[in-house]
Each structure stands twice: as C-alpha cells, then as structure tokens.
Amino acid sequence: MVKPGTMPEKSTAPTGTGDDRPALRTAFASARRTVLRELDALLGSVDEDGVERLVEEIHRAKRVYVLGAGRSGLSVEGFAMRLMHLGYQAHCADESTAPAAGPGDLVIICTGSGSTPTVVQLAENARKAGSRVVAVTSHADSEAAGLADLVVLLREFSADHEADSSAQFVGTLFEQGAYLFFDCVVLALQRTDRVDEKEMFGRHTNLE
C-alpha cells in the first residue's frame, strides 16, 4: 500500500527499449516457425487407424466422459463441449453433475506423461465400472496406456521430425497438439456425421 504523499516504487520488471525490438521480433518469428513445424510433425505422425477406432468408440458409446489434469485437461474439456455441440452425450468426468459411468460408456483420458495419479486412478475406476477407456498420451508404455482399450499416441517431435526432441518446455507440445488433435476429430465428425453448423450452434449454451 502506498502512503499518502509518497511515490510508488518503480517496477523492476524489464520494460524493453527500442534497441530490443528487432531482437524480440526475430525471436518471436523464429519461435512461431518452430511451434508450427513441431505441431505439423506431431499431428502428421498420428496413426489414422487409431483415429478411426476412436471415432468408432465415440459412435458406439451411450455417453462420453473426458478426463485430464492441467493444460491437458483443458484440451480434452474443449473436446467434450464440441461433442455436445455435435449432439453426443458428453461430460467432464470430474464435474459434480456427471452421471455414474458404466457399461456402454466411453472415458477418454488425456495425459502426456500417462502417469498423472488422479487421471490413472479415475481410469481404473472407469474400468471397474465396465466403461471402455481411450488414452490420448505421448507415452505408449505408461500406466494410463496400460489401462486403455485404445491408445492414441501423440508423440513430441522437433521441427525437423526428431522424436522426443521438442524445443518447447516439457509437455507444451503435447498439450498444444492434443487441443488441435481433438479439433481435427470434431471437424471430421461434423463432416462424416453430416451435422449442420446451425444445429451445433443451437446446442451452444445461452446462459453466457
């Protein structure tokens, strides 16, 4: 709190100068190219047979539950919302209004490491309840993958397509890739299910 009659302390955060701008712009342009090329490498490596099986699982399910933690959780929660827009019964598994899962239901878990304790525990609960489990992960030999009926592998790559060599902070590329992967699945479902965009918009919340 600033006392009356005194001046607030100056911020010690760097403000940048005109001399910094060319370097910053160069760094940003380079970062943009790196991120886009890494995402292209990740999405380009996704097994299309696995995507087809994922879509089949969604088509067969009575209800679809999604589960993830942190930024991976945000990615898969967005997927649940779009599934609802497409007309599917979709729920975020950790919401208090989610109904009990059971046989005929599908639980999609999203975890880069495949070892997030809460996600693994809830995946185990889903299996005990008789639900089928799909794991979207970057580690095929993880605990989450071992619990799944289907594993969709999103591996991290460098801009030069070198596996497990992303230039971004650990987990970042998986989280970005998962969000875009799910959006690709949504667009594919919209086209193959022939869902009109007006129908989707009609299901969008009117309580915002």
Side-chain angles (χ1 to χ4, degrees):
M1 181 175 179
V2 179
K3 294 180 180 179
T6 63
M7 295 294 290
E9 294 183 5
K10 291 184 179 181
S11 171
T12 57
T15 57
T17 66
D19 292 340
D20 297 328
R21 289 173 187 163
L24 175 60
R25 290 177 181 175
T26 299
F28 178 78
S30 175
R32 181 186 63 224
R33 288 191 296 270
T34 296
V35 170
L36 291 176
R37 287 174 62 191
E38 288 190 351
L39 283 168
D40 182 64
L42 181 150
L43 292 171
S45 71
V46 175
D47 178 26
E48 294 184 0
D49 289 338
V51 176
E52 289 180 3
R53 290 179 61 195
L54 171 60
V55 169
E56 289 170 2
E57 293 281 359
I58 293 170
H59 280 155
R60 285 200 304 263
K62 290 191 303 184
R63 291 170 298 203
V64 178
Y65 296 78
V66 304
L67 177 63
R71 298 203 331 168
S72 297
L74 295 176
S75 299
V76 78
E77 285 173 13
F79 185 47
M81 183 177 71
R82 288 291 185 248
L83 287 176
M84 177 273 293
H85 289 151
L86 288 167
Y88 293 93
Q89 292 292 320
H91 304 274
C92 294
D94 58 354
E95 290 291 336
S96 58
T97 54
D105 293 329
L106 176 67
V107 177
I108 300 173
I109 59 177
C110 181
T111 166
S113 68
S115 60
T116 307
T118 53
V119 175
V120 170
Q121 180 61 61
L122 291 175
E124 290 177 346
N125 293 348
R127 287 194 64 87
K128 290 176 183 177
S131 301
R132 290 182 64 78
V133 176
V134 171
V136 178
T137 181
S138 61
H139 289 82
D141 57 351
S142 62
E143 292 177 86
L147 292 167
D149 298 287
L150 169 65
V151 176
V152 177
L153 197 59
L154 301 184
R155 294 190 65 188
E156 295 193 345
F157 286 86
S158 73
D160 296 322
H161 294 248
E162 295 175 309
D164 305 317
S165 301
S166 172
Q168 301 180 71
F169 183 68
V170 61
T172 299
L173 178 58
F174 172 82
E175 295 150 359
Q176 294 167 340
Y179 196 95
L180 293 179
F181 168 75
F182 289 127
D183 276 350
C184 291
V185 174
V186 167
L187 185 55
L189 282 168
Q190 182 183 352
R191 290 172 173 174
T192 55
D193 292 355
R194 294 181 172 83
V195 182
D196 187 89
E197 190 172 324
K198 291 181 181 178
E199 292 179 44
M200 294 178 67
F201 191 75
R203 298 185 186 102
H204 187 68
T205 180
N206 58 2
L207 300 178
E208 290 182 328

